[in-house]
Amino acid sequence: MALPFLPGHSFNNKLGQEKFHKSQHFGMSNDVSMLLGEHKPGIGGAQLLGQKPKPNRSNIPQGQGNAAPAWVAFDRQVLRFDAFFQEGVHEKPEEQYRVRQCKIYFYLEDDSIQVNEPQVNNSGIPQGTLIKRHRIPLPPPNDDQCYTVEHFNVGTELTLYGRTFKITGCDQFTFNFLRKLGIRVNAPDNTPDDPHQNYRKQMDESQQPLRPYEKVDTLKQFLDHDRHVLRFYCFWNDTEKMFGDVREMILHYFLADDTIEIKEFISPNSGRDATPMFLRRARLPKGSPEALKQPGEITGRTVLNVFGPMGHGGRYILDSLKTGAVITDYYTDQDLMVGVAINFWGRKLILADCDDFTKKYYSTKYGIADFAPIPFKGAGPTAGKREWPPYTGFGSEEDSLCSCMGLLPKPPRRDFIKFMEKDRHGLESNVLRFKARLDTTKPIDMDRRFIISYFLSDDTVAVFEPPVRNSGIIGGKFLERERIKKPDQERFGTELSEYFTARDLYVGSRVKFHGHFFILTDADEYAFRYMENHQQEFTVGNIGEITAKLSKIAVEQRELIKDFFKRNDPGSTGLIEYDQFRSLLVQLAGSSLSEHEIMTVARYYSNTQENKLELPTLVAISQDQLKKAGFEKFPNLADGFAHHDTDNSGFLDVEHVRSTCKAFRVPLPADLLRTLLDKMEKDNNGCINYYQLVAYLNWREHPAGQAVQSPVQFDGGWKGREDSANVTSVNYMALLQAVLGGGN
């Protein structure tokens, strides 16, 4: 007996309910108030009338540890199942149905499913992705739920959108995962055969020849020798024909596919058209030219006899011995060698030479070492010397020559790079100045002095005469700045005239400027230093070549030199006056040494700077040189000195110190190092305290004050060398050590 539906006699369904929240069902869409939450639940999350519950997810038990969401715990984890489905075929007598195999992927992170069908060649069916990845609902009437992992097992059938799939197997990961979920995985099933595929297989086997086709594998040859080309320099002697000549060719053999191409080298003005290729790239037969083959003569297979009608029931016999096959012999790399004559379409081509890669290839593969080239090029026609018309006298020679080089005259090009490099910048004037006098017998001109300035930027020369009071001659500019031609040249000749260069100007040289002979008697400090720093350009400033000249002279007159120094230096101080030193070199060398070379030797072995510079200044200059060069091998340098110091005295002779510095490449000039060694502490035997030397050179641990050197500046009012700047004495002991090897 049911209780009446009266107050107090019915149960309240909301007893024990704790959630009474309301969902927002209305909102604004495009500024219009409308119902937006038709799928949202009612009060407390209860379903409204007509709403279906959300489909359930896979119930996978959680393991120990922190609980992570499924999209994190099962990221990139997919179950794979092998399946098939049967598809009916209508209106086709050969088959009634087809069996199509596929792969079912179940993504654990969101329970989505994807179905792919592998590609089958020549199937005629669109294959690939049958069902894209998404959650698939169950068949009706349970279409409000979706497939989960519990629905998958080997041997089960799944209906996906009206198509039934039979699962026949799975991979090892899927098998282990289902076992961990407590699902008993069934044994894998066999996929039934597809009648259509079996029919096609029988058709293919029935069409298979009794003897298979010969397969020539050229892929390995292509991969091993791609872009490997043998190059031969060859020629074709066509002189037997009228107007024929020797034609130079270049043969390229491509190792990747054994093809040959031939290019013709056409020299300029030969009268031939420049064709891009003489023989296009292809395989070259040895017996060319050959008669044209009949249709069907060259085939891959030869049929000997045919019985019965063509088609069903026909029989044929294939030529397994290839008795009727036409074989063409082609040139290969074994047939090509320097000196070999090959036949290319009826022409005799002789291989005369090859490149280095070809020589290396044949020597490595075939062991050939003789690659003597065959000379075939005769002496070509000598190009006639182009003669220009003589100089007209208008403008400069270069400007007049440019008017003869083309229809449109162009101005002569200036060496702009040289101008930028040798133009004056900062304290570098790039101007060599010399003091000169006139080589004349006129008494009024014998006392005149001139300043000759050579500008390195444009090879121009300017002559200035300093004014002298009460001389009767107005000083000033004697010769405008210009390029000066060398004397004794044809004025209106066809060749360009030669001009004075910087190598022609040095102390002691005799030059002729527009009919005036000048003898250069001195130079400024910048000119001397520039020539000494550019020894490759100026031989008069190359101390190495000058020392080599003196060595040849000193070997022959050793006793005369010893007597001269003993007579002029009785105290054995090692120093001699410059005038005595100059007279000795003039007596020994005569005219083989110029005045500039004598002054270069005297400057190199001068004792003037040694007396001027104190030890702190020398140390500061040396440390500044080492710091700029980045030299920091001071511990190694000290170990090198200690290696030669066998008695551990801390002192070492000068030669061992100099050779050790040279071995460690100490970036100090020879004169600066020699001066610094003379200032070091010495014992009774003249040995140097190398510990003190290393301490002075070590700019890291013992930095010295900054060296204050007066740079060589350009003085526009220079009138000659002052007496205080001249070399007063020469250290002949150091010179003898360099010339005679340490003996005096």
Side-chain angles (χ1 to χ4, degrees):
M1 178 178 175
L3 295 176
F5 190 71
L6 297 174
H9 293 82
S10 60
F11 296 97
N12 189 0
N13 296 329
K14 297 182 180 181
L15 290 176
Q17 184 177 358
E18 297 179 356
K19 297 180 180 180
F20 298 94
H21 61 274
K22 293 182 179 181
S23 301
Q24 180 69 24
H25 290 267
F26 295 92
M28 302 294 293
S29 177
N30 295 330
D31 297 333
V32 177
S33 301
M34 58 188 305
L35 178 64
L36 299 177
E38 55 185 4
H39 299 289
K40 295 183 179 180
I43 298 175
Q47 297 292 330
L48 299 177
L49 294 177
Q51 288 184 348
K52 295 181 180 180
K54 292 183 179 180
N56 296 328
R57 299 279 182 173
S58 297
N59 187 14
I60 301 176
Q62 297 181 357
Q64 296 180 358
N66 296 330
W71 57 273
V72 176
F74 300 108
D75 184 26
R76 299 183 182 180
Q77 295 187 14
V78 185
L79 304 183
R80 190 186 67 179
F81 298 92
D82 299 328
F84 72 93
F85 66 94
Q86 184 175 333
E87 181 182 30
V89 179
H90 306 285
E91 299 179 357
K92 193 172 184 181
E94 290 84 1
E95 55 179 344
Q96 287 74 32
Y97 65 92
R98 293 176 183 172
V99 177
R100 300 174 63 176
Q101 301 180 11
C102 57
K103 302 286 185 181
I104 300 178
Y105 298 96
F106 183 85
Y107 294 85
L108 295 172
E109 55 180 314
D110 56 356
D111 292 349
S112 58
I113 299 173
Q114 181 180 354
V115 181
N116 291 345
E117 182 180 7
Q119 296 284 345
V120 178
N121 294 331
N122 301 325
S123 64
I125 303 174
Q127 296 173 329
T129 303
L130 297 181
I131 302 177
K132 294 183 179 180
R133 178 182 173 183
H134 67 286
R135 296 195 68 190
I136 301 178
L138 294 173
N142 300 321
D143 53 352
D144 56 343
Q145 301 294 326
C146 295
Y147 280 99
T148 61
V149 71
E150 291 83 3
H151 296 89
F152 288 85
N153 197 350
V154 177
T156 60
E157 294 183 358
L158 304 176
T159 302
L160 307 179
Y161 296 113
R163 184 175 288 176
T164 302
F165 294 84
K166 177 67 178 294
I167 299 177
T168 59
C170 62
D171 59 358
Q172 189 63 34
F173 172 76
T174 305
F175 179 81
N176 296 335
F177 188 82
L178 295 178
R179 289 290 300 273
K180 291 180 181 180
L181 293 180
I183 301 175
R184 183 177 181 179
V185 182
N186 301 325
D189 296 340
N190 295 326
T191 303
D193 296 334
D194 185 9
H196 180 66
Q197 293 294 333
N198 295 337
Y199 174 75
R200 293 190 56 184
K201 185 176 181 181
Q202 293 176 3
M203 291 290 295
D204 293 340
E205 290 177 355
S206 64
Q207 296 177 2
Q208 195 74 4
L210 301 179
R211 177 179 56 83
Y213 289 98
E214 292 185 0
K215 182 179 180 181
V216 180
D217 185 14
T218 58
L219 179 60
K220 183 178 184 303
Q221 180 183 1
F222 174 78
L223 296 177
D224 293 343
H225 298 289
D226 185 25
R227 298 185 181 182
H228 292 176
V229 183
L230 305 181
R231 176 182 294 179
F232 293 92
Y233 304 99
C234 45
F235 65 94
W236 169 34
N237 191 355
D238 194 29
T239 56
E240 297 179 357
K241 297 181 180 180
M242 185 180 295
F243 306 111
D245 56 354
V246 178
R247 304 177 67 172
E248 185 178 353
M249 307 283 182
I250 298 177
L251 185 143
H252 292 158
Y253 182 87
F254 297 87
L255 295 173
D257 53 0
D258 297 329
T259 55
I260 293 176
E261 73 174 11
I262 300 176
K263 296 182 178 181
E264 183 179 5
F265 177 77
I266 300 177
S267 59
N269 301 325
S270 63
R272 299 184 184 274
D273 293 334
T275 56
M277 198 69 61
F278 191 81
L279 180 65
R280 289 187 299 179
R281 178 178 176 180
R283 299 194 68 184
L284 182 63
K286 294 183 179 180
S288 59
E290 297 179 348
L292 186 63
K293 304 296 181 183
Q294 296 297 327
E297 187 175 355
I298 300 178
T299 58
R301 303 172 62 187
T302 304
V303 179
L304 295 181
N305 295 289
V306 178
F307 300 96
M310 298 300 294
H312 296 285
R315 298 290 183 271
Y316 56 87
I317 298 175
L318 299 178
D319 182 10
S320 60
L321 300 179
K322 295 184 178 181
T323 56
V326 178
I327 301 176
T328 305
D329 193 9
Y330 295 95
Y331 280 104
T332 62
D333 57 344
Q334 301 177 1
D335 305 319
L336 304 180
M337 182 50 58
V338 176
V340 175
I342 65 174
N343 175 26
F344 77 104
W345 302 108
R347 298 169 179 84
K348 185 178 179 181
L349 191 67
I350 300 176
L351 307 182
D353 198 0
C354 59
D355 60 357
D356 295 337
F357 173 77
T358 307
K359 295 178 182 178
K360 183 178 179 181
Y361 174 80
Y362 278 96
S363 62
T364 304
K365 185 175 182 179
Y366 299 106
I368 300 175
D370 186 13
F371 298 97
I374 299 177
F376 66 94
K377 296 182 180 180
T382 58
K385 186 178 180 181
R386 179 180 294 182
E387 294 185 0
W388 303 106
Y391 175 52
T392 59
F394 295 96
S396 63
E397 295 185 8
E398 292 80 3
D399 191 16
S400 298
L401 182 60
C402 289
S403 63
C404 302
M405 292 183 176
L407 296 177
L408 299 177
K410 297 180 180 180
R413 298 185 62 180
R414 186 179 182 183
D415 193 350
F416 186 74
I417 298 178
K418 179 180 179 181
F419 175 77
M420 295 300 296
E421 291 179 352
K422 299 299 183 180
D423 192 21
R424 178 178 180 179
H425 54 278
L427 299 178
E428 290 291 332
S429 63
N430 287 314
V431 179
L432 307 182
R433 293 183 302 174
F434 301 89
K435 186 178 180 180
R437 63 177 178 85
L438 286 173
D439 186 12
T440 180
T441 57
K442 296 181 180 180
I444 192 173
D445 294 334
M446 294 179 61
D447 296 334
R448 299 175 64 180
R449 295 296 178 263
F450 302 88
I451 303 299
I452 299 177
S453 300
Y454 185 88
F455 298 86
L456 297 172
S457 59
D458 54 0
D459 299 328
T460 55
V461 179
V463 181
F464 178 81
E465 183 179 6
V468 179
R469 297 182 62 182
N470 300 326
S471 63
I473 299 175
I474 302 175
K477 186 182 297 184
F478 184 82
L479 180 63
E480 188 71 29
R481 177 180 174 179
E482 62 177 354
R483 296 177 64 190
I484 301 179
K485 298 180 181 180
K486 291 184 179 180
D488 302 331
Q489 296 187 85
E490 187 178 357
R491 183 176 180 182
F492 300 103
T494 58
E495 300 292 336
L496 293 177
S497 302
E498 296 182 3
Y499 294 86
F500 280 101
T501 61
R503 299 180 181 179
D504 302 325
L505 303 180
Y506 54 88
V507 178
S509 63
R510 184 173 181 268
V511 294
K512 181 180 180 181
F513 294 163
H514 298 303
H516 298 274
F517 289 93
F518 293 91
I519 297 179
L520 279 61
T521 59
D522 201 356
D524 64 350
E525 183 66 20
Y526 180 83
F528 278 111
R529 288 193 181 182
Y530 185 87
M531 293 184 178
E532 292 169 359
N533 294 334
H534 299 78
Q535 299 182 3
Q536 301 297 332
E537 302 179 16
F538 302 93
T539 57
V540 294
N542 193 337
I543 189 63
E545 295 185 5
I546 301 174
T547 305
K549 292 182 182 179
L550 294 177
S551 298
K552 297 179 181 179
I553 300 173
V555 171
E556 300 175 357
Q557 304 183 19
R558 178 188 293 264
E559 299 299 330
L560 177 62
I561 295 174
K562 288 183 178 181
D563 295 340
F564 181 84
F565 286 126
K566 288 181 180 179
R567 183 172 62 255
N568 292 277
D569 186 20
S572 299
T573 60
L575 302 177
I576 190 174
E577 297 293 333
Y578 172 75
D579 296 336
Q580 298 176 351
F581 177 76
R582 179 184 176 280
S583 63
L584 174 63
L585 293 185
V586 172
Q587 179 182 356
L588 296 176
S591 61
S592 60
L593 285 179
S594 64
E595 190 70 26
H596 196 117
E597 292 176 325
I598 297 176
M599 299 179 70
T600 300
V601 177
R603 284 172 50 83
Y604 188 80
Y605 296 99
S606 172
N607 197 46
T608 304
Q609 290 295 108
E610 299 177 5
N611 296 331
K612 284 186 176 182
L613 299 179
E614 299 295 335
L615 180 59
T617 305
L618 290 174
V619 171
I621 296 174
S622 303
Q623 289 189 3
D624 185 57
Q625 294 278 349
L626 297 176
K627 185 184 299 183
K628 290 180 179 179
F631 183 82
E632 298 182 2
K633 299 180 181 179
F634 302 107
N636 299 336
L637 183 62
D639 295 340
F641 290 143
H643 176 72
H644 295 286
D645 187 11
T646 55
D647 53 355
N648 296 328
S649 61
F651 291 87
L652 203 62
D653 60 286
V654 178
E655 289 301 324
H656 281 94
V657 172
R658 187 180 288 108
S659 62
T660 304
C661 293
K662 186 177 181 180
F664 283 91
R665 297 181 179 180
V666 178
L668 289 180
D671 53 351
L672 180 60
L673 180 61
R674 185 185 69 251
T675 305
L676 186 62
L677 294 180
D678 292 341
K679 298 289 185 178
M680 291 294 102
E681 178 186 355
K682 300 179 181 178
D683 59 359
N684 298 331
N685 299 326
C687 296
I688 296 174
N689 187 351
Y690 59 85
Y691 288 113
Q692 183 186 24
L693 175 63
V694 174
Y696 281 146
L697 296 179
N698 195 341
W699 55 273
R700 281 288 187 186
E701 299 180 358
H702 307 88
Q706 186 175 3
V708 179
Q709 289 182 282
S710 57
V712 180
Q713 299 181 1
F714 178 75
D715 184 11
W718 181 75
K719 299 181 180 180
R721 179 176 295 273
E722 300 292 338
D723 295 338
S724 59
N726 290 331
V727 177
T728 57
S729 58
V730 180
N731 189 347
Y732 69 89
M733 295 296 293
L735 176 61
L736 292 178
Q737 289 178 358
V739 173
L740 300 177
N744 56 6

